[in-house]
Amino acid sequence: MSQLRFKVVEEAFNRKAIEVKMPQENPSKYYAKFVFNKAKMYQYLPSKTYKDLVDAIDNKRSINRELADSVAAGMKQWAIDNGARHYTHWFHPLTDGTAEKHDSFIEHDGKGGVLEEFSGKLLVQQEPDASSFPNGGIRNTFEARGYSAWDISSPVFIMDNTLCIPTIFISYTGESLDYKTPLLRALNSVDKAATAVAKFFDPEVRHVNSFLGWEQEYFLVDESLYSARPDLVLTGRTLMGHESAKNQQLEDHYFGAIPSRVESFMLDLEIECHKHGIPAKTRHNEVAPNQFELAPIFEETNLANDHNLLLMSLMNEVARRHNFRVLLHEKPFAGVNGSGKHNNWSLGTDKGVLLFAPGKTPMDNLQFITFIVNVMAAVHRHNGLLKASIASATNAHRLGANEAPPAIISMFMGSQLSEMLNRMLNEDTDELIAISGKERMKLNLSQIPEILVDNTDRNRTSPFAFTGNRFEFRAVGSSANCASAMIALNAAVAEQLFDFKEKIDARISKGETLIHALLQELRVLIQLSKPIHFDGNGYSDEWKVEAAKRGLDCEVCPPKIFDSYLSDSSIKMFTSTGVFSERELIARNEVKWETYTKKVQIEARVLGDLALNHVLPVATRYQSILLDNIFKIKSLFDENKSKELASNDMELIESISYHISRIRKDVNEMVEARKNANSISDEKEKAIAYHDNVLPYFDKIRYSIDKLELMVDNEMWPLPKYRELLFIR
Ligand code: ADP
Ligand code: MG
C-alpha cells in the first residue's frame, strides 16, 4: 500500500483557501511601495542629486562617483526605513533565473560597534566570481573575475528585506555574461535605427522605445502532491503518468470559475506585484486544468523584462504561502496544453506615437506601413535566428508538438493588412499616398484605421502575429527569460531599419521624392519577405511542406537550431548593431549546448531512477500477488476450473512481465546511450547525441510505465496520478 501517495492526496484534497491579508488602502496607495522610483528619489535625495540622476536616466547618461555617493546615501535611508537589512546586485546570468549575493549594510564603526554603510561604489559596481556562472569558456581564457554594474534605467527595489539593484554582468574583459547587457545594447540600437526612420515622418522625434507586454502562463500543483513526484521536483515536469480520464476535453477550464484556493493565491500575488511596481492587470484560467495566466500592462522592454523575472520569483514565494508550487516548465503534463509566454511587442516614439498602429492621416499610415513592412523583412531575414532565440530543451516539448506554435517562424498579418500589402504591390503608383492639400489620399491608406479598429481575427497557430497595434511573439517559452527573444527581435529590426534608411537616403539623393522612395523601397521589401507571411493553419502538415519550399528554417532539433546564432547573417547583424561580438556569440552557444545536454541528462537520470526503483518494484510486487492468487486457485480447484479462473490473472501477469522487461531493457540502453554521449567532448556534438540517441528512450519508457499504471493495483501505485495532480479543489 502506497502510504505516501494516499497521505499527500488526502492532504491536498482537504486543504482550504488561505486568507489573504488585505491592505487597508487601495492599490494606487501601495503601488510601488518597495520601489525606489522618482517619487521616492524626490523625497530621499538632495534636490541637485535628484535632478542629476533623473537627467541621467532620461537621457541615458552614465553617472559619476560623486553623484553615485549621494544617491547611495539617500537610497540606503529609504531602504532602511522600509525594513531592508541587506543589499544585493541583482542580475540575470545565462541560467533560468536571477542571481544575487546578499551583503549586510553593516560596517565597523571603529569604536567596537557597527554602523549602516552603503557607498556609491557599492551601489555602482561589484565583482561576483564569473566562473561560477555559465560563461561558455570566456573565463577560462582570461580571468575568473566578473563585474556587475548598476543599470540606472531600471529602478532598485526591496524584496524580502533586501535592497535589490538591477545590474548588468560582464567579464573582466568586457564580454557580456548575462541577458541584460545585450538587451540594453539591442534596445539602444533599435532606438537609433527606428528614430532615424521615424524622422522621415516627424523630424522632431528624438527617441523610439521598445515596449513589451508579456503574458505569463503557469501551472499550480499542491505542494504535498508535488513533493511526492521526484520528477516534478527535479525536472519541473512529469516524466510519466497516464492521462486522466478527464482532462481538457470539455473545455471547461478556460476562463472558468477560479477555485478559491487559487483565487487567494492570485490575489496575494497581485498585491505583491503591485507593491513591487509590476502593473499586473489580467488574470484568468488557461486551457488546461490547473493552468493559469497573468498579464501586466505593457512597459518599456528592459523594465518589463526585469518585472517578468521578478514576477517569476514572487510567484514561487507566494505559491508556497498557499501550499502550492508553481510550474513554469513549458510542458509539465503530457496530453494537456503546455505553457508559453506571449511577448507582445511594439515600438513607440518619445512623442507617444505607436509605430505599429495605424494613424489618422495618410502620412501616419505610410509610417505605419513602413514599420510593419520593415519588421516583416527583419523577421523573414532572421526567421531561423528568431526560432533559435526561443529554442530550449524545455520549450522543445511545446514547439511543433501540435498544440503550440510550430517550429517554423511565420507571420500572421490578418486579412485587412494582407490586402493592403497586396494592393501596394499591384498598384504601382504614388497616388496611393498622394496628398492634395489637406485631402485624404486617393486610394486610401487612410481607410486602415477604420478597418483595423476591429481587427480581432486571431490566429492561435501563428508564432508571430500582428494584433492591431503590436506584434505577438507567441512561441516564447513560459520559463524563458524574454530578453533572449527581445534581443534577437530588436536587433534584427534595428539592422533592417538601418538598411532601409540608407536605401531611402540613396534614392532621395538621386532626386526621388520621399514618398516615392518609401513606396518603392517598401514594394521591394514586401516582395522579398512574402515567404514569411502566412495566415493559414500553422499546425497543418501541408504548412511544413510549404514552409520548406519557401525556404523558411524548418529545423526541429534544438542543438542544431542554435546554429543560427553563428550563421554569417546573424554574426553580421549582431556585430553591426553592436549587440554581440562574434566571441560572445560563440561563448553563448557553448552555454546553450551545455545547458541542453544537462537538462536532458538530468531527466534521463530521474526517469531511470523512477523506473527502476519506484515503478518496477511495485509492478513486481503486484505481479507476485497475482501469482499467489493463481497458486491458491490451483490448490482449491481442479485443473480445468483453475485454468478458467486464473486466465485473467495469467494474461495480466504476462502483460506486466512484458512491460517490466521492456522498461529494464530500455533503461539499460538509455544509460548506454548516455555514456556514449558523455564521451563526446565537443559540446554541440554531445547535445546532438543527447537529442538523437538519449531522448527517444523517454517516450518508450514512459509508454510502458503508463501502461503499468493502468494494470497495477491503484492502492500500490507510488506516484500521485494525473487525476490527482491536475484538479485543484
Ligand atoms: P490576449 O490574451 O488577448 O492576447 P491580454 O490582454 O491577455 O491579451 O494581453 C495582452 C498583452 O499585450 C498585455 O500585457 C498588454 O499590456 C500588452 N499590450 C497591449 N498593447 C501593447 C503594445 N502596443 N505593445 C506591447 N504590448 C502591448
Ligand atoms: Mg495574447
Side-chain angles (χ1 to χ4, degrees):
M1 163 83 145
S2 174
Q3 305 281 353
L4 177 65
R5 177 169 146 242
F6 280 81
K7 184 172 153 281
V8 295
V9 168
E10 196 181 332
E11 261 172 29
F13 279 37
N14 286 335
R15 261 199 248 279
K16 300 270 174 300
I18 304 279
E19 207 183 318
V20 179
K21 248 199 268 143
M22 288 300 289
Q24 295 304 307
E25 315 131 298
N26 290 333
S28 60
K29 284 277 182 323
Y30 59 80
Y31 189 81
K33 176 175 191 272
F34 294 131
V35 184
F36 194 60
N37 57 13
K38 284 185 184 163
K40 312 302 176 6
M41 290 175 192
Y42 187 75
Q43 193 186 339
Y44 278 89
L45 300 179
S47 67
K48 173 147 178 18
T49 306
Y50 170 78
K51 255 196 240 133
D52 290 350
L53 180 60
V54 169
D55 179 64
I57 293 169
D58 289 349
N59 296 302
K60 304 187 181 182
R61 273 200 274 276
S62 57
I63 62 172
N64 61 26
R65 181 53 53 79
E66 195 189 332
L67 180 55
D69 279 334
S70 178
V71 172
M75 195 184 272
K76 180 191 76 182
Q77 196 51 49
W78 168 75
I80 290 173
D81 286 354
N82 283 279
R85 293 286 171 270
H86 292 79
Y87 64 92
T88 180
H89 275 200
W90 182 79
F91 56 98
H92 315 154
L94 301 175
T95 59
D96 283 343
T98 54
E100 45 206 75
K101 168 175 152 264
H102 296 190
D103 285 303
S104 152
F105 285 122
I106 61 165
E107 286 295 340
H108 287 297
D109 66 357
K111 302 179 201 113
V114 293
L115 44 79
E116 279 85 21
E117 173 77 30
F118 184 55
S119 66
K121 181 170 175 290
L122 296 173
L123 164 64
V124 172
Q125 189 177 311
Q126 280 189 347
E127 295 183 15
D129 178 6
S131 60
S132 321
F133 295 99
N135 55 59
I138 277 183
R139 51 101 192 181
N140 293 337
T141 356
F142 293 93
E143 269 202 64
R145 217 179 323 156
Y147 291 110
S148 56
W150 182 26
D151 163 21
I152 62 169
S153 65
S154 182
V156 304
F157 58 91
I158 295 172
M159 168 117 162
D160 294 336
N161 300 324
T162 299
L163 175 70
C164 298
I165 302 155
T167 56
I168 58 164
F169 182 43
I170 54 175
S171 74
Y172 178 67
T173 43
E175 277 99 1
S176 61
L177 297 172
D178 66 346
Y179 285 106
K180 195 187 250 292
T181 310
L183 179 63
L184 290 172
R185 292 178 188 154
L187 296 175
N188 210 6
S189 184
V190 84
D191 175 5
K192 282 209 187 94
T195 301
V197 173
K199 274 179 191 290
F200 286 137
F201 303 91
D202 177 357
E204 309 269 278
V205 170
R206 283 167 56 238
H207 284 293
V208 169
N209 287 313
S210 162
F211 297 108
L212 167 63
W214 39 262
E215 301 162 50
Q216 178 72 55
E217 293 180 338
Y218 61 95
F219 279 83
L220 287 175
V221 174
D222 183 89
E223 126 184 304
S224 297
L225 296 168
Y226 173 91
S227 69
R229 290 286 310 219
D231 47 357
L232 275 183
V233 174
L234 295 175
T235 74
R237 74 174 176 117
T238 53
L239 297 168
M240 57 196 62
H242 196 280
E243 255 185 61
S244 163
K246 172 183 190 290
N247 48 45
Q248 65 188 44
Q249 66 272 58
L250 295 177
E251 297 179 341
D252 51 358
H253 191 67
Y254 193 51
F255 283 13
I258 301 173
S260 59
R261 282 186 67 196
V262 177
E263 206 167 322
S264 287
F265 160 78
M266 285 177 165
L267 179 61
D268 208 354
L269 178 61
E270 205 169 84
I271 294 169
E272 287 297 338
C273 281
H274 291 164
K275 285 184 180 166
H276 287 87
I278 305 172
K281 177 133 174 109
T282 314
R283 57 180 201 202
H284 59 76
N285 287 3
E286 262 302 327
V287 175
N290 280 18
Q291 194 188 24
F292 309 94
E293 178 185 300
L294 182 146
I297 301 172
F298 69 94
E299 299 175 286
E300 184 278 313
T301 298
N302 177 40
L303 183 61
N305 191 45
D306 279 358
H307 280 164
N308 181 247
L309 290 160
L310 181 55
L311 171 89
M312 293 195 283
S313 307
L314 286 173
M315 282 175 114
N316 284 324
E317 198 180 290
V318 175
R320 295 179 76 149
R321 296 212 280 264
H322 293 260
N323 305 110
F324 283 128
R325 289 306 173 105
V326 166
L327 306 181
L328 292 171
H329 193 288
E330 283 75 4
K331 192 75 181 173
F333 302 100
V336 298
N337 274 18
S339 301
K341 177 150 54 195
H342 301 176
N343 277 204
N344 294 271
W345 169 78
S346 63
L347 295 175
T349 69
D350 56 345
K351 299 177 76 193
V353 175
L354 279 181
L355 294 167
F356 305 148
K360 290 197 175 61
T361 69
M363 269 320 253
D364 286 349
N365 284 328
L366 184 56
Q367 169 167 285
F368 159 70
I369 294 285
T370 297
F371 278 92
I372 296 280
V373 169
N374 273 284
V375 172
M376 278 180 81
V379 174
H380 176 237
R381 184 149 32 149
H382 294 289
N383 70 88
L385 174 69
L386 286 170
K387 182 165 70 184
S389 78
I390 50 98
S392 67
T394 52
N395 207 15
H397 295 286
R398 182 171 158 261
L399 295 179
N402 237 10
E403 51 148 305
I408 301 165
I409 301 293
S410 64
M411 286 174 87
F412 171 84
M413 303 303 283
S415 50
Q416 285 87 6
L417 199 48
S418 304
E419 205 179 293
M420 184 65 234
L421 297 174
N422 271 336
R423 213 147 104 205
M424 284 189 63
L425 267 191
N426 300 332
E427 298 167 28
D428 188 358
T429 158
D430 290 1
E431 295 276 310
L432 213 47
I433 189 71
I435 313 163
S436 45
K438 283 226 173 323
E439 268 173 52
R440 290 272 159 119
M441 62 192 164
K442 205 174 137 215
L443 242 176
N444 235 307
L445 282 157
S446 63
Q447 285 172 349
I448 296 172
E450 282 91 42
I451 334 176
L452 281 182
V453 170
D454 198 33
N455 184 0
T456 46
D457 58 336
R458 294 292 183 85
N459 183 331
R460 290 184 61 91
T461 72
S462 176
F464 202 102
F466 178 68
T467 51
N469 64 0
R470 61 187 187 270
F471 288 95
E472 189 170 344
F473 195 2
R474 310 178 66 249
V476 183
S478 49
S479 70
N481 185 323
C482 304
S484 180
M486 287 295 112
I487 292 163
L489 179 59
N490 286 288
V493 169
E495 178 200 43
Q496 173 57 40
L497 289 169
F498 280 129
D499 281 6
F500 184 77
K501 161 88 165 88
E502 231 175 69
K503 297 222 162 83
I504 299 297
D505 285 348
R507 282 176 181 272
I508 290 174
S509 71
K510 275 193 235 141
E512 291 183 25
T513 66
L514 173 63
I515 287 177
H516 184 75
L518 288 169
L519 286 172
Q520 286 307 101
E521 208 48 53
L522 289 173
R523 286 188 180 107
V524 174
L525 291 181
I526 294 171
Q527 186 62 39
L528 211 71
S529 47
K530 259 191 170 169
I532 198 73
H533 181 181
F534 177 65
D535 283 4
N537 177 8
Y539 296 173
S540 68
D541 287 332
E542 300 86 77
W543 169 233
K544 286 182 198 148
V545 179
E546 164 75 14
K549 268 197 225 142
R550 293 187 185 190
L552 299 178
D553 189 311
C554 296
E555 182 58 60
V556 294
C557 166
K560 291 183 188 158
I561 290 175
F562 298 150
D563 272 341
S564 281
Y565 272 101
L566 298 176
S567 71
D568 290 345
S569 71
S570 297
I571 293 176
K572 181 169 159 280
M573 184 277 280
F574 280 129
T575 51
S576 73
T577 50
V579 173
F580 287 123
S581 67
E582 186 168 351
R583 189 174 143 67
E584 286 174 315
L585 287 170
I586 291 170
R588 275 163 191 264
N589 260 27
E590 290 293 304
V591 174
K592 285 183 206 298
W593 287 315
E594 240 175 88
T595 307
Y596 182 88
T597 296
K598 284 180 187 159
K599 292 232 160 141
V600 179
Q601 187 178 53
I602 292 168
E603 290 192 343
R605 287 180 181 153
V606 173
L607 181 57
D609 169 43
L610 287 180
L612 299 185
N613 305 319
H614 293 233
V615 173
L616 288 196
V618 170
T620 312
R621 226 182 308 143
Y622 182 57
Q623 194 186 33
S624 100
I625 292 174
L626 296 174
L627 284 165
D628 260 4
N629 193 35
I630 293 172
F631 270 112
K632 284 175 190 152
I633 289 171
K634 280 201 171 148
S635 68
L636 282 176
F637 300 96
D638 65 32
E639 199 180 325
N640 278 345
K641 191 72 184 165
S642 295
K643 254 197 190 138
E644 186 195 325
L645 291 178
S647 70
N648 276 339
D649 284 352
M650 290 297 282
E651 242 173 65
L652 200 49
I653 287 168
E654 269 175 38
S655 269
I656 292 176
S657 291
Y658 170 78
H659 288 294
I660 287 178
S661 58
R662 282 235 57 118
I663 291 172
R664 277 238 161 73
K665 179 169 166 293
D666 288 338
V667 170
N668 285 338
E669 285 179 19
M670 179 174 74
V671 171
E672 247 348 270
R674 228 160 64 208
K675 278 189 195 148
N676 288 336
N678 290 343
S679 69
I680 302 172
S681 56
D682 181 84
E683 289 297 346
K684 177 182 161 188
E685 293 309 320
K686 191 192 285 184
I688 292 175
Y690 263 91
H691 175 271
D692 290 354
N693 307 331
V694 178
L695 203 57
Y697 285 103
F698 288 22
D699 282 346
K700 289 192 202 171
I701 295 169
R702 175 180 193 142
Y703 176 81
S704 281
I705 293 178
D706 290 356
K707 285 284 175 211
L708 286 177
E709 186 186 317
L710 290 189
M711 293 176 208
V712 170
D713 180 0
N714 179 52
E715 293 215 343
M716 295 171 72
W717 195 255
L719 301 165
K721 296 185 173 183
Y722 267 30
R723 62 164 191 259
E724 293 152 353
L725 289 167
L726 273 174
F727 297 92
I728 294 167
R729 305 289 116 150

